[in-house]
Amino acid sequence: MTDAKTTANEAAHETESRLREGLDTVRETASKVYHDAGDKASEVLEVSREKTKRVVSNLESNPLGILVGGLAVGALAGALLPRSAREKELLAPVGKRLSETLVAATAAAKDAGRSELGELGLTKDNARDQAKGLLEGIVKAVTTAGTAGAKAVSQKPTV
């Protein structure tokens, strides 16, 4: 009974040791990824600062761009401000015609797009089957990676 207890204790200590090694490896990897991400973020920040400086420089040297930007902001502000009763009275028929035309154009574009996709064999069912196949492939890859990781942790290290 003592030999079995000793063997069990040794096996438990060995398993604990392998788990600690695996945990240390995971910590090291996580730390490396964290530091790499920080480095990448710093690079991105520096690149964005440089691009911002170039944009400001271009704006200063191109006042026409500023004028166009101002017009765009003005159009946006005009779209957001409420209309007066007189504007509604005068623009309602135009808006109705535009709306009807837009609805008709959207329907025609949708029909033409569906027809074109149908001719290419890109149907809703085909897309669903491809998405399902992709998801199954991802699940298989994750399962394989997890199994390989568990197997690597469970194997005795060679010294």
Side-chain angles (χ1 to χ4, degrees):
M1 173 92 76
T2 305
D3 290 333
K5 190 175 182 181
T6 303
T7 304
N9 281 338
E10 288 173 356
H13 286 296
E14 185 178 322
T15 301
E16 180 184 3
S17 176
R18 279 189 271 153
L19 286 173
R20 289 188 188 274
E21 289 174 8
L23 183 60
D24 290 342
T25 302
V26 169
R27 283 184 182 150
E28 289 173 10
T29 303
S31 177
K32 184 178 184 308
V33 167
Y34 175 78
H35 290 294
D36 289 349
D39 293 343
K40 242 344 165 187
S42 295
E43 290 174 18
V44 168
L45 182 61
E46 184 60 32
V47 167
S48 68
R49 283 182 180 153
E50 290 173 11
K51 289 190 181 214
T52 301
K53 287 178 185 177
R54 278 188 278 172
V55 167
V56 169
S57 174
N58 287 340
L59 285 176
E60 288 174 350
S61 66
N62 185 7
L64 184 59
I66 294 173
L67 176 65
V68 170
L71 289 173
V73 169
L76 179 63
L80 295 176
L81 293 175
R83 292 187 207 146
S84 68
R86 180 75 173 141
E87 286 176 317
K88 287 180 185 178
E89 178 185 324
L90 292 174
L91 295 177
V94 174
K96 187 175 181 179
R97 280 197 316 260
L98 283 174
S99 177
E100 291 170 352
T101 303
L102 179 62
V103 168
T106 302
K110 187 187 296 186
D111 290 342
R114 282 186 183 150
S115 173
E116 191 69 28
L117 290 174
E119 289 176 15
L120 295 173
L122 299 173
T123 64
K124 195 178 200 179
D125 292 335
N126 287 344
R128 185 180 304 123
D129 291 342
Q130 288 179 357
K132 183 179 177 185
L134 178 63
L135 181 60
E136 288 172 353
I138 290 170
V139 169
K140 183 178 178 184
V142 168
T143 303
T144 303
T147 303
K151 187 175 181 182
V153 169
S154 67
Q155 292 178 347
K156 291 183 182 179
T158 56
V159 180

